[in-house]
Amino acid sequence: MGMLIRHRGAQPTVDPSAYVAPNATLVGDVRVGPRARIMYGATLDAEGAHIEIGEACVIAENAVLRATAVADPPHPVILGDHVFVSPHATLLGCEVGRCAYLATGITVLQGARLEPGAVVAVGALVHARTVLPAEYFVPPMSVAVGDPVRVIGSDRPDELTAAVRDVNFAAAAFGVQAEWSDRIARYERITEVRVAEFGAHADDEVL
């Protein structure tokens, strides 16, 4: 049943009717619900928060789900029932409503919320603190940002840059306040936050 790792004193719990592939990795306070399927190579890392996987969710090959508690408030990953997470998808500190579909290669960032039935198509990004209404469709290779949400394509780089700047991702995801224009200082501080957070893995215990 995959690699289960105790982290920060918490260990994964898996419903007996769920399936976790032998090379999937569950770290810390990960709660896998009934009939969920965690497939090959998937990584679910709760860090200092938690991850909840609802009933009959599919987490496909090489997907990454990571919670975090470095920002205020903490950002767990919460999936409602019947959520489909496709291969190579990345979900960071977000909440996904029931029957949402997340396609191959998508990314959902910290503090985002997807209402039931939302769809994020291949290669799209849902930015931090963005809210997708129920059954909302984010087209392939686009960026959804804001609340209310707007979708911006890569053919509008100036608009996309301004929208991303306004999200203040460093604060939303890492609790770091830094000027947009001072990228070196910002990313140095972000890296230090992650170095400290990930340092807690030195005390992990494989179950």
Side-chain angles (χ1 to χ4, degrees):
M1 178 189 290
M3 182 176 292
L4 305 184
I5 298 175
R6 181 180 290 113
H7 175 64
R8 300 174 190 251
Q11 65 187 53
T13 58
V14 179
D15 187 274
S17 64
Y19 172 75
V20 178
N23 67 341
T25 304
L26 280 58
V27 183
D29 189 1
V30 177
R31 311 160 193 175
V32 178
R35 302 188 300 122
R37 306 294 184 243
I38 314 297
M39 300 309 294
Y40 299 93
T43 300
L44 285 66
D45 184 357
E47 291 300 334
H50 67 277
I51 296 176
E52 296 179 26
I53 306 300
E55 182 173 2
C57 286
V58 174
I59 313 298
E61 293 80 3
N62 300 306
V64 174
L65 283 66
R66 175 174 289 121
T68 182
V70 298
D72 185 19
H75 294 303
V77 175
I78 301 173
L79 272 55
D81 300 338
H82 294 90
V83 171
F84 196 106
V85 179
S86 297
H88 300 284
T90 301
L91 278 63
L92 305 178
C94 57
E95 183 174 348
V96 181
R98 64 183 303 273
C99 300
Y101 184 87
L102 309 177
T104 298
I106 66 90
T107 302
V108 183
L109 295 180
Q110 289 89 345
R113 188 175 80 247
L114 283 59
E115 298 292 343
V119 175
V120 183
V122 172
L125 166 66
V126 179
H127 219 295
R129 299 175 174 153
T130 297
V131 176
L132 299 186
E135 301 188 37
Y136 192 89
F137 182 84
V138 179
M141 311 304 292
S142 62
V143 177
V145 60
D147 179 18
V149 64
R150 57 192 173 122
V151 173
I152 306 171
S154 60
D155 59 334
R156 291 147 47 199
D158 292 342
E159 184 180 351
L160 186 55
T161 298
V164 170
R165 181 191 62 226
D166 293 345
V167 166
N168 195 358
F169 174 69
F174 302 98
V176 168
Q177 296 293 341
E179 292 297 325
W180 168 261
S181 57
D182 192 352
R183 291 181 176 85
I184 290 175
R186 183 168 72 249
Y187 294 124
E188 180 182 45
R189 292 172 66 190
I190 284 172
T191 304
E192 288 291 345
V193 168
R194 278 290 187 253
V195 166
E197 182 180 34
F198 291 169
H201 288 290
D203 297 323
D204 285 357
E205 177 186 354
V206 178
L207 301 175

